[in-house]
Amino acid sequence: MTQMTQATIGDSEFDRDTAVARREEGVYDIDLSAGWTIINAVNGGYLLAVLGRALADALPHSDPFTVSAHYLTASRPGPAVIRTDVVRTGRTLSTGQASLFQYDEDGREVERIRVLASYGDLDTLPDDVRTTARPPAIPPMEQCFGPQDGPAPVSGSSAIADRLMLKLDPSTLGWALGAPSGKGEMRAWFGLADGRDADPLSLLLAVDALPPTAFELGISGWVPTVELTVHVRSRPAPGPLRVSITTRNLAGGFLEEDAEVWDSAGRLVAQSRQLARVRLG
Amino acid sequence: MTQMTQATIGDSEFDRDTAVARREEGVYDIDLSAGWTIINAVNGGYLLAVLGRALADALPHSDPFTVSAHYLTASRPGPAVIRTDVVRTGRTLSTGQASLFQYDEDGREVERIRVLASYGDLDTLPDDVRTTARPPAIPPMEQCFGPQDGPAPVSGSSAIADRLMLKLDPSTLGWALGAPSGKGEMRAWFGLADGRDADPLSLLLAVDALPPTAFELGISGWVPTVELTVHVRSRPAPGPLRVSITTRNLAGGFLEEDAEVWDSAGRLVAQSRQLARVRLG
C-alpha cells in the first residue's frame, strides 16, 4: 500500500470498499472486502459503514444520527446483499432498517446483521455545544504505538491493520507486552491509512476498530459483538481522531464497550456502546 | 391506589398494564394504559416493557439482554397492536423485532416504535462479576424526595407518578426549586408503588422513568427520545433499585442520557443509553 497522494472523502480505499450497487429500489449488492478482516471475521465497524451507506441512499437524509446493529452470524469476505426498508420519513429525521445477507452452500440467504437507524442532516443542527465530557488524555501521536512499530501483536495478523492509522496509548498496551493493566480501557489516535479524512460514515468504523478492552482485562479470546449502537453527533473536522473505549461491567460472560470519538477540533463527534460476549479462558 | 397487600411479580399493576393478548402467531393486542402517561405521552420505558413482553412470548428465550428501540411517533393511551418477527434463534441467544402500531382517524395503522432485541436466559449465565463501576452515591431513601413529598413539580402532573416509588437525590433536585445545578445528573431510588419487586421487564421501565437530566441543565421543555438501547445484565435482587442518569454531551439540539440501574445487592443490573432531542428555550 504505497500512497502517492493523500486519499479524499469519496476517493479512497474506505469509499471503494463500502460502495454499494443499487440492484433495485431498496436493494443493494456489495462484495465485502477481505481488506477489513480480523483473523477470519469481517470487522463489525466496516459492516456498519456498509449498511450505513446503503441507508444513506435509501433514506431522504444522508447522515446517520443513531444506528443500532444486532450481529446475527459472522460475515465473510465476498458477495452480500443489503435489503433496506424505509420505516418513517420526517422533516428532520427519517428512520430505516437494513439487513445484510450472504449465501450458504445451497445459495440460500443467511442474515448476518440487522440494523435500525435514524438519519438526519448534521449540517442543519444548531451550533450550540455544551459538552461536559473531556477529551481522553492520549500522549502525542509520536509517543504512541501501532502495529507497524514493533513485534507487539496488535490486532493479531489482520488485514485491517494495513488500512488504519492506529496509534495506541502506551498505557493501554500492557496486554501486548504480556502485562494487561486490569483496567478496561483502550485509547488511540485513529485515521485511515491512505489519509482520507473522517466523515460520519467512517465514524461508524472508528467506534469498533480498536483492540478490545478485554485484552487489558487479561482476556485474550474472541469477543464477538452482540449489539452495537452508535450516535453520530457532529461532522468531524479534518485530521486524526482520538478514540477512547471503556468497559466498566464485565459480568456473566458479557461486557459493554463504551466508545467516544473526538475530532481534531476537540469536539465529541460520536458515542457508541456495544454488548459483547467474552470467552473467559 | 390503596394497597392492601404487596403486589408480586406476575400479579401487579405493572404486569396487568403490560399484558399482551396473542391474536395470532407473532401478533399481540394491548390497550395502552393511561396510567403510565407523562403530560400527554405514554412513557417510553412502559412502551419498551410492553414490547419486551411480546418478544418474550415470541422468542424461545425469556429475558431481554439488549433491546434497541427507535421512537417514531408519540403513543397515546388506547388500543395498539404489536407485530413481532423472529430474526434468528440460537442456543444461547435469539433475536427478534417488534413494532407497535396504533390507529389514525381512518383506522389505518401508524407505527409508534420499532425495536430490535436479543434475548437469552439470565439464570444460565456464569456468576463471575468483575464490575469496576461503582454504585451511585445516593443518600438514604428517607433523605430523598418524591412527587408526594411537596409542591416540587416532579415529573409534572403525570399519572405515572402514582405508579412509581421514586425518591430523588436532593442534590439533583435543584430544577424543582428553580435552581438547576447545571450538571447533567439525575439520581433516584426506584420501585413500583404497589411494592412489586423488579424483574428484567421492569428494568426496561426503570431506565426511562426519572425526570430528564435536561431539567438540571436548565432546559424545561419536552425531551423526546429518538432511540434508546438497554442492556439487562442480571436478574435484580428484591428491594429498591438505585438509578443514576448522566448527560455529558448536550450539543446541536440533541443529548445522550446514560442510565445505570443497581439492585439492592449492589449489582449493576442494567445499563442504557438514549439519544433525545432538546428544545432549547
Side-chain angles (χ1 to χ4, degrees):
Chain A
M1 253 197 3
T2 308
Q3 291 303 327
M4 294 297 124
T5 55
Q6 176 169 314
T8 55
I9 294 174
D11 182 14
S12 74
E13 219 168 12
F14 174 77
D15 293 295
R16 284 186 289 278
D17 287 350
T18 57
V20 295
R22 187 173 177 159
R23 183 199 293 184
E24 60 190 70
E25 184 166 343
V27 182
Y28 303 85
D29 288 298
I30 183 165
D31 199 58
L32 296 179
S33 164
W36 303 85
T37 48
I38 297 184
I39 310 172
N40 281 320
V42 179
N43 173 263
Y46 165 69
L47 291 170
L48 211 54
V50 166
L51 285 156
R53 200 179 281 285
L55 280 169
D57 186 81
L59 292 171
H61 296 95
S62 58
D63 298 324
F65 275 33
T66 169
V67 182
S68 310
H70 286 245
Y71 292 79
L72 306 168
T73 55
S75 298
R76 310 284 173 215
V81 59
I82 299 166
R83 301 184 182 280
T84 64
D85 176 31
V86 177
V87 177
R88 176 180 175 271
T89 60
R91 190 173 56 83
T92 57
L93 286 177
S94 51
T95 300
Q97 178 175 320
S99 291
L100 185 141
F101 300 87
Q102 290 189 301
Y103 308 94
D104 68 12
E105 53 272 24
D106 300 320
R108 280 184 300 244
E109 290 188 355
V110 179
E111 190 167 353
R112 297 301 192 204
I113 171 175
R114 189 178 291 205
V115 310
L116 269 181
S118 293
Y119 274 55
D121 182 349
L122 288 170
D123 299 326
T124 63
L125 297 184
D127 58 5
D128 64 295
V129 179
R130 296 207 264 162
T131 304
T132 56
R134 308 306 313 160
I138 305 183
M141 209 182 296
E142 58 274 17
Q143 295 170 26
C144 293
F145 297 95
Q148 294 82 9
D149 294 318
V154 176
S155 302
S157 57
S158 63
I160 194 173
D162 294 335
R163 272 147 201 89
L164 303 181
M165 187 290 291
L166 197 60
K167 293 288 185 182
L168 289 153
D169 182 337
S171 71
T172 66
L173 260 176
W175 58 276
L177 306 168
S181 69
K183 290 189 279 192
E185 297 177 2
M186 199 65 69
R187 289 183 293 275
W189 293 94
F190 177 90
L192 292 164
D194 61 10
R196 177 200 190 270
D197 278 318
D199 70 348
L201 272 186
S202 75
L203 294 178
L204 304 186
L205 170 70
V207 298
D208 196 35
L210 272 58
T213 53
F215 286 3
E216 276 295 85
L217 293 167
I219 296 161
S220 55
W222 185 233
V223 190
T225 303
V226 175
E227 174 268 326
L228 188 159
T229 296
V230 53
H231 301 172
V232 174
R233 300 296 302 277
S234 181
R235 188 175 302 284
L241 302 168
R242 284 163 291 175
V243 182
S244 153
I245 306 190
T246 309
T247 294
R248 301 165 66 242
N249 192 23
L250 166 58
F254 288 81
L255 57 74
E256 97 287 10
E257 276 198 0
D258 277 4
E260 288 184 1
V261 184
W262 294 77
D263 72 6
S264 63
R267 186 136 181 206
L268 180 48
V269 292
Q271 292 170 288
S272 78
R273 175 174 290 163
Q274 69 171 270
L275 182 69
R277 299 169 85 147
V278 291
R279 314 295 190 188
L280 296 174
Chain B
M1 253 199 1
T2 309
Q3 291 302 325
M4 295 295 125
T5 55
Q6 177 168 313
T8 55
I9 294 173
D11 183 13
S12 74
E13 217 166 15
F14 174 77
D15 293 295
R16 285 186 289 276
D17 288 348
T18 57
V20 294
R22 189 174 176 158
R23 184 199 292 182
E24 60 191 70
E25 184 166 343
V27 182
Y28 302 85
D29 289 297
I30 183 165
D31 200 57
L32 295 179
S33 164
W36 304 84
T37 49
I38 297 185
I39 309 172
N40 281 321
V42 179
N43 172 262
Y46 165 69
L47 291 170
L48 210 55
V50 165
L51 285 155
R53 200 180 281 284
L55 280 168
D57 186 81
L59 293 171
H61 295 95
S62 58
D63 298 323
F65 275 33
T66 169
V67 182
S68 310
H70 287 245
Y71 292 79
L72 307 169
T73 55
S75 299
R76 312 282 174 215
V81 60
I82 298 166
R83 302 184 181 282
T84 65
D85 176 31
V86 177
V87 177
R88 176 180 175 271
T89 61
R91 190 175 54 83
T92 57
L93 286 177
S94 51
T95 300
Q97 178 174 321
S99 292
L100 184 142
F101 300 87
Q102 290 189 303
Y103 308 94
D104 68 10
E105 53 272 23
D106 300 320
R108 280 185 300 244
E109 289 187 356
V110 179
E111 190 166 352
R112 298 302 192 201
I113 171 173
R114 188 178 291 205
V115 310
L116 269 180
S118 293
Y119 275 55
D121 182 349
L122 288 170
D123 298 327
T124 63
L125 298 184
D127 57 6
D128 64 294
V129 179
R130 295 207 264 162
T131 304
T132 56
R134 309 305 313 158
I138 305 183
M141 208 182 298
E142 59 275 16
Q143 295 170 27
C144 293
F145 297 94
Q148 294 81 9
D149 294 319
V154 176
S155 301
S157 57
S158 64
I160 195 173
D162 293 335
R163 270 145 204 91
L164 302 181
M165 187 288 292
L166 197 60
K167 293 287 185 182
L168 288 153
D169 182 336
S171 71
T172 65
L173 259 176
W175 58 276
L177 307 169
S181 69
K183 289 189 278 193
E185 297 177 3
M186 199 66 68
R187 289 184 294 273
W189 293 94
F190 177 90
L192 292 164
D194 61 11
R196 177 201 191 270
D197 278 320
D199 70 349
L201 273 185
S202 74
L203 293 178
L204 304 186
L205 169 70
V207 298
D208 196 35
L210 270 59
T213 53
F215 287 2
E216 276 294 85
L217 293 167
I219 296 160
S220 56
W222 184 234
V223 190
T225 303
V226 176
E227 174 269 326
L228 188 160
T229 296
V230 53
H231 301 171
V232 174
R233 302 296 303 278
S234 181
R235 188 174 301 284
L241 302 168
R242 283 163 291 175
V243 182
S244 153
I245 305 188
T246 309
T247 294
R248 300 165 66 242
N249 192 22
L250 165 59
F254 287 82
L255 56 75
E256 98 286 11
E257 277 198 2
D258 277 4
E260 289 185 0
V261 184
W262 294 78
D263 72 4
S264 63
R267 186 137 180 204
L268 180 49
V269 292
Q271 291 171 288
S272 77
R273 175 175 290 162
Q274 68 171 271
L275 183 68
R277 297 169 87 147
V278 291
R279 314 294 190 190
L280 295 174

